[in-house]
């Protein structure tokens, strides 16, 4: 697996997500494509990846540059016209996707990758880094939706999750999709 697309949002200083930065920055071992910002969790992952010698490509819509880039950035920065272009660019560059703790933007991006997988547009693994139970309720919802028949058999298995970066990376490397759900 060459590149992992890590997705997250900008947490406020002192928030629970900002205190997770030391833990999620260990994703640098396989980081290749990030969301483009150099602050918050994504900034920590990008800096750790660059420090370890891994290539970092940040993809960001032009309208977000003033909000999500502060000072120097690491790696290559690709500025695209809009969010749709951003997701397409990240999709094309990544071999897998990981949602770090985040908000609506993170969920929208990772769920789109899950949906594309479900529809057979790709077979790349998709995972949630569930640090400190951050995604417990969302993962329970997926289980509930599956149990209630709102997902075809096998679709729930598209979503991988782990509590620590090493476990998530192991799950991504081990993932094999044998056939469309």
């Amino acid at each position: 697996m060459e590149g992992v697309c890590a997705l997250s949002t900008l947490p406020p200083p002192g928030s629970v997500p900002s205190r997770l930065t030391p833990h999620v920055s260990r994703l640098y071992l396989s980081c290749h494509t990030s969301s483009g910002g150099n602050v918050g969790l994504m900034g920590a992952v990008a800096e750790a990846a660059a420090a370890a010698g891994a290539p970092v490509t940040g993809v960001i819509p032009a309208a977000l540059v003033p909000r999500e880039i502060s000072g120097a950035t690491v790696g290559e920065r690709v500025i695209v016209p809009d969010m749709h272009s951003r997701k397409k660019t990240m999709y094309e560059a990544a071999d897998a996707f990981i949602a770090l703790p985040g908000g609506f933007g993170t969920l929208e991006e990772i769920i789109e990758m899950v949906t594309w997988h479900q529809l057979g547009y790709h077979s790349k693994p998709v995972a949630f880094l569930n640090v400190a139970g951050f995604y417990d309720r969302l993962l329970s919802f997926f289980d509930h939706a599956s149990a209630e028949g709102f997902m075809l058999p096998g679709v729930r298995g598209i979503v991988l999750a782990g509590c620590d970066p090493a476990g998530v990376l192991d799950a991504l490397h081990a993932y094999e999709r044998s056939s469309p759900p």
Side-chain angles (χ1 to χ4, degrees), residues 3 5 32-33 59 84-97 113 116 122 124:
C5 180
H32 173 66
T33 303
V59 182
H84 297 292
S85 301
R86 175 183 179 209
K87 287 186 285 188
K88 181 180 182 214
T89 301
M90 291 190 304
Y91 162 76
E92 290 171 347
D95 297 317
F97 306 93
M113 291 303 107
W116 288 4
H122 73 82
K124 300 174 183 185

Side-chain angles (χ1 to χ4, degrees), residues 6-8 33-37 42 57-61 68 86 90 109:
L7 304 166
S8 186
T33 303
S34 70
S35 63
M42 291 313 309
T57 303
V59 182
I60 188 166
E68 295 193 12
R86 175 183 179 209
M90 291 190 304
E109 290 176 333

Side-chain angles (χ1 to χ4, degrees), residues 1-2 4 25-32 45 48-49 52 54 166 169:
M1 183 175 315
E2 295 283 322
V4 174
S25 65
R26 288 179 283 168
L27 285 171
Y28 71 83
L29 294 172
S30 292
C31 183
H32 173 66
V45 171
L169 291 172

